Amino acid sequence: MKIHCLYDKLENPKLLKNHPKNRNKHGQDQIDRLAELYKYHGVRHPIIVSKLSDYIVAGHGRKLAALRAGIKEMPVVYQDFVSIS
């Protein structure tokens, strides 16, 4: 897999924690298309994780697509956030 973005660390997507208040829902067709894009083009956007809560802040769909594509390591950017909500 090719990675075309800046990131802090490569992480196993299985170990990344979904934010419990995430309201975004991704249809299976969207996840399947993104997984195919990952296989063909590589990853262009990292998953964003809060340093404070260790939850995914942006990239729940990217995580699902990575799992679907069988990706063992995804690029992650860790950011400081004021609160976990």
Side-chain angles (χ1 to χ4, degrees):
M1 176 193 62
K2 297 178 184 176
I3 299 173
H4 305 284
C5 62
L6 296 176
Y7 59 91
D8 295 326
K9 191 173 178 184
L10 292 173
E11 297 281 6
N12 182 337
K14 290 180 182 180
L15 302 179
L16 297 174
K17 296 189 283 185
N18 292 333
H19 196 293
K21 294 184 179 180
N22 178 41
R23 293 186 195 169
N24 295 328
K25 301 298 177 211
H26 303 282
Q28 191 59 48
D29 59 328
Q30 181 185 18
I31 299 304
D32 290 345
R33 284 194 310 269
L34 186 54
E36 289 302 313
L37 285 172
Y38 283 167
K39 291 177 190 176
Y40 186 74
H41 291 291
V43 177
R44 297 190 176 272
H45 299 94
I47 296 172
I48 310 298
V49 173
S50 168
K51 288 182 183 179
L52 180 63
S53 67
D54 210 30
Y55 289 135
I56 295 172
V57 177
H60 293 85
R62 287 174 242 160
K63 173 187 171 180
L64 292 172
L67 294 172
R68 175 81 172 140
I71 294 172
K72 303 287 188 226
E73 293 184 315
M74 275 294 282
V76 174
V77 170
Y78 290 93
Q79 294 184 0
D80 292 314
F81 290 89
V82 177
S83 70
I84 63 170
S85 54

